[in-house]
Amino acid sequence: MRIHRLEIQAFGPFAERQHVDFDALTEQGLFLLNGPTGAGKSSVLDAVCYALYGSVPGARQTAKRLRSDHAPENLMPEVVCEFSAGSRRLEVTRNPAWQRPAKRGKGTTPEQAKTLLRERVEGEWITRSTRNDEAGAELQALLGMNREQFTRVVMLPQGEFAAFLRADAATRAELLQRLFATDRFSTVEQLLADYAASAAAGREKAEGELDAVLARATEEVRRHGLEDDECEDVPGEGGTAENQTGQPNLIILQDRLMSAVQRGRERVADLKVLRDASVEKRSRLEGERRDRTGYQRLLAETESNRKNLLVAAELQKAIENHRRAQVLEGPLQARDQCGEELRLREDSLRSAVTRLRRNELADREVPELTELLSDERLEGLETAYRRIREELAATLAAQPQERELAALHTRIAGAERKVEEHASDAWRCAGTREELEAELAAGTTDLHAAETASARAVGLTSECEEVTGRLALHSKAETAEQSLEHLEDLHRTHTGLFLEAKEHWLEKLRLRLEQAAAELAAGLREGDPCPVCGGEEHPEPATIGDHALVSREEEERARTDQEHAEQRLRETSKARDAAALEAAGLRARVGSLDPEDARETLRGLQQELAETELSASRLPALSAKKLELERRLTELEARRQELVRSEARESSLIAALREQAAALTLRVDAVRAGYSSVEERVAALRQVEEGIGAVCSAISRRDHAQESFATAETALQTRLADSGFVRDQAVRDALLPHGRAAEAERTIREAESTAHRIELELQRPENLSAAALDREGHAVPRIEDIDAAARSEEDALTKLERAVLDVGLLEQSVVQLASYADRVKILEERLEPLRRAHQLAKSVADTARGNGENLYKMSLATYVLAARLEQVADAATERLQQMSDGRYALVHSDAKSGNKKSGLGLHVTDNWTGTSRDTATLSGGESFMASLALALGLADVVQQESGGLDIETLFVDEGFGSLDEQSLEQVMDALENLRDGGRVVGLVSHVPELKQRIPAQLLVLKGRTGSTLRFVDQLQRV
């Protein structure tokens, strides 16, 4: 990888855009990057790293921003790096995130980081990517190194490698792990440890399951109370219940359970015999008492049923009379119902006649009604009913005519009101018209005056604008002349400053040229060829003289000051000429204007214009008002004419309606027949109609009820003569109440059934036996004897059930213990390979972590890093021996230090004494050489590890000031060897000797407005 070009803008301390041509800088293969402290030497390296990786190395990456504080606020920060890798040539442009000024309003807007990656193909730049992540991934794949490796391989930080040289094993491991990416070996260690822990967990889980099964087996025996001391006298059950490992012995536990089961079964058999005897005794006593008490109950029931049989005989006679009377029950009920119906109909007729007599309207409509009601003649009442219905129908037909007459009167009243309203509105319209006509005449006069003022305002406005424009030109002319006077003074000042700066620079340049030979002579060494004549002898080297030595930096600063003064003078001259041209033009346009007269004229015109505009401002309102008055007059006239026409129409309508109302009134009065309205007469006729109709209906129903009663009475008398009953009351007495007959029959059946049942039960064997015992005088068994027998039976049953339950639990425990034994066998077979696997995994994991049988106590990751460190030490020794005349060599050590683990030790071997010692014992210069050799060796190893990419550009950081002249010469020889094969080496140093030895230099100059970069070639100067 070779860097060709670098551009920096608004980045770090660099405000303006800086260009660095690395191709020109590295023509000699070795260049020096120098400058004062804080100027920005590290920022150049940061820019290279940021361009390639999008971040800066070390702690500077944690800074909040990378943009320069010296740059203008709208200048975008940017880094451009052109480089080649292998056969490819690429250019990467990166813009860090920054706060740009807002386009609208005040404040700032965040601008995200941007990346542009281009590649030069056949002479043209082709865009490869514009995404940050995509470009970063492609660049890292192309370089073959991450940022951490790049900053250790390409940018060699001597201070960090000096610390690495003296660091302990943990610190070295941290750096080496980042550089060589050996995390995977630490991952392997963790995986092995995790596998060992997993194997241990599997073994512990299986052992836990085994212990749990054995504990359950022991508990299964102990819950039956079968302890060791209880089985000492049982044959075959001696010894302890635990084996040599302390675990329960399942065989002994099973033997104990089987013995307990056998004893339980024998006890169950004995309890069954006792239970059967108790059951037989209790059953015999209960049976005898039940039979004896049952026989006595039958005897009592027989005596009680004898009375029931006597009552049943009397009930049988009453039922026979009831059945004969049931034949006459229907005709009797029919005659009674007809009589009740006749009474109700007669009451209804009397009520209807009373209501009709009380109706005064009925006599008015039917004069003969009183006579008809007295005779109760149905034919006459029906005739009057039909006549009333006909008159009601005629009256109902006249109801619409009455409603029509009322509507006519309502319309006439409404029309009369409208005529009055139209007349009143017409009178108001006439008065309003006179007012509007007077207002229109006054508005027309005001409108003409406003139109005249508006025309005058236009002319006044033009005159005011003309006077105002001339006054503004006069003011600009005065301002331009004042600015011109100021620029003339400034031009004279800048001219003097420029002449002083130019004289100062020419003096510095003269002294610099005069002292060039003395400066070259100061760098000559005996035996070295002169860069001017080539001679190796220097008998009379030039001297500086009386004046102090003028450095190139001083001469450059003087020349820069002269250039800046010249630039300010040019800018001032340009501004002065522009101001003079502008002032002359403005004065020509103003002419001989008197400002005071012009202002007085302007004030008069503006006052007149204000008055005119005030009058003209009323023009739109007056025009609109005139149009509105004319519109209202037109609408008012149309309204008046419409009112006249409406009044004529309403008058004609009133006359027609009155004629219709008169004709209709004659017809309606005839129908009313003296009533106040047709509706009133309809209500009266309806009442009369309903009353006569009710009387007619009541007479008809009463006549029908009389006929039914006569028929029912005849039928009843006929049936009485054939039944044997003399009067109807005898029939009613013979009839039993509802449900009484059924109840009597049920009583008879129950008495007869009970007598038959008792007779059959007395013939049963147990009752015959009880009768015999009664006759023999045996006592009935007592309740106390039966209870005592029951308690004996219950006690025997309880003991038997408990014994059976105990045997069942023991048998279940035998089965459970057998399953536990099978489970223990399976678990023991599975546990053995788990124990072997755990032992193997633990041994391997301990060895990988530096424990166990690992004699060096070195972990796997440390072992890999130790191999890398050994390679680094070998590569560093090649450089260190060249720098130290073959005296020193760096040696990797895997020896332990006290109780600490081994693997990352580093010693230095002194070939002059043949001894090895700790690197901390090296002097400052020796430490620098060792650190530089270590950095170069590490760069070689990392380069090989990254795929062998050729690193053609290297940067070596500070540290040369600690070397003596001879050591510096040796180190420079070693660095010169790095240039073999076209490699370019850049040194970052303040050492004056290096400034003399290295002609190609990149100077970093700092100032109040930011730092700048300048390429200096000492050979070209000479």
Side-chain angles (χ1 to χ4, degrees), residues 318-383:
I319 287 175
E320 291 176 356
N321 292 331
H322 170 73
R323 289 173 178 170
R324 284 193 303 110
Q326 276 184 326
V327 178
L328 299 174
E329 186 177 9
L332 183 62
Q333 289 180 354
R335 196 278 311 272
D336 292 342
Q337 290 176 357
C338 289
E340 182 64 22
E341 180 69 19
L342 178 58
R343 184 184 63 78
L344 293 175
R345 296 308 177 188
E346 288 178 347
D347 292 342
S348 178
L349 176 59
R350 284 192 295 271
S351 298
V353 171
T354 300
R355 285 195 301 273
L356 188 58
R357 289 181 186 276
R358 293 175 181 173
N359 191 349
E360 297 177 356
L361 298 178
D363 292 334
R364 180 176 177 180
E365 296 295 337
V366 185
E368 68 276 13
L369 182 61
T370 302
E371 183 180 354
L372 293 174
L373 290 176
S374 301
D375 297 340
E376 295 185 356
R377 290 182 298 172
L378 185 60
E379 294 81 2
L381 288 171
E382 288 179 348
T383 300

Side-chain angles (χ1 to χ4, degrees), residues 862-969:
T862 305
Y863 176 79
V864 174
L865 293 178
R868 294 288 187 269
L869 183 59
E870 187 174 4
Q871 295 175 359
V872 171
D874 294 341
T877 297
E878 296 180 8
R879 302 288 194 325
L880 183 58
Q881 288 185 344
Q882 181 180 359
M883 298 177 191
S884 62
D885 285 339
R887 178 180 180 182
Y888 293 117
L890 289 174
V891 180
H892 164 252
S893 174
D894 55 8
K896 294 189 294 182
S897 177
N899 294 328
K900 297 181 179 179
K901 295 182 178 180
S902 62
L904 298 179
L906 194 63
H907 298 289
V908 61
T909 300
D910 189 345
N911 293 326
W912 290 4
T913 62
T915 60
S916 295
R917 52 196 173 100
D918 192 88
T919 54
T921 63
L922 294 174
S923 65
E926 292 170 342
S927 296
F928 169 74
M929 290 189 294
S931 300
L932 179 60
L934 186 63
L936 295 174
L938 182 63
D940 293 339
V941 174
V942 173
Q943 179 181 345
Q944 296 172 5
E945 186 74 16
S946 302
L949 179 65
D950 190 11
I951 306 299
E952 299 181 41
T953 304
L954 293 177
F955 295 92
V956 181
D957 205 344
E958 290 280 4
F960 298 91
S962 61
L963 302 177
D964 58 19
E965 184 176 354
Q966 182 180 359
S967 299
L968 178 62
E969 188 70 27

Side-chain angles (χ1 to χ4, degrees), residues 248-298:
N249 192 326
L250 292 181
I251 297 177
I252 294 178
L253 295 177
Q254 287 177 318
D255 291 342
R256 290 181 182 177
L257 279 178
M258 291 303 300
S259 300
V261 168
Q262 182 62 34
R263 292 194 302 274
R265 289 173 179 171
E266 293 174 356
R267 176 172 173 74
V268 167
D270 296 339
L271 291 174
K272 283 183 178 179
V273 173
L274 180 60
R275 180 205 59 186
D276 293 343
S278 299
V279 169
E280 190 277 331
K281 180 179 180 181
R282 177 190 57 77
S283 298
R284 178 176 57 78
L285 292 175
E286 286 181 348
E288 182 179 350
R289 178 173 178 78
R290 183 179 59 254
D291 293 344
R292 297 288 296 277
T293 55
Y295 175 71
Q296 292 176 359
R297 187 175 59 255
L298 284 176

Side-chain angles (χ1 to χ4, degrees), residues 445-461 607-624:
T445 302
D446 294 339
L447 179 61
H448 291 162
E451 290 174 348
T452 302
S454 178
R456 173 61 180 156
V458 175
L460 290 173
T461 301
Q607 183 176 0
E608 185 180 358
L609 177 61
E611 295 173 355
T612 305
E613 287 179 343
L614 177 61
S615 179
S617 63
R618 299 175 57 203
L619 181 60
L622 292 173
S623 299

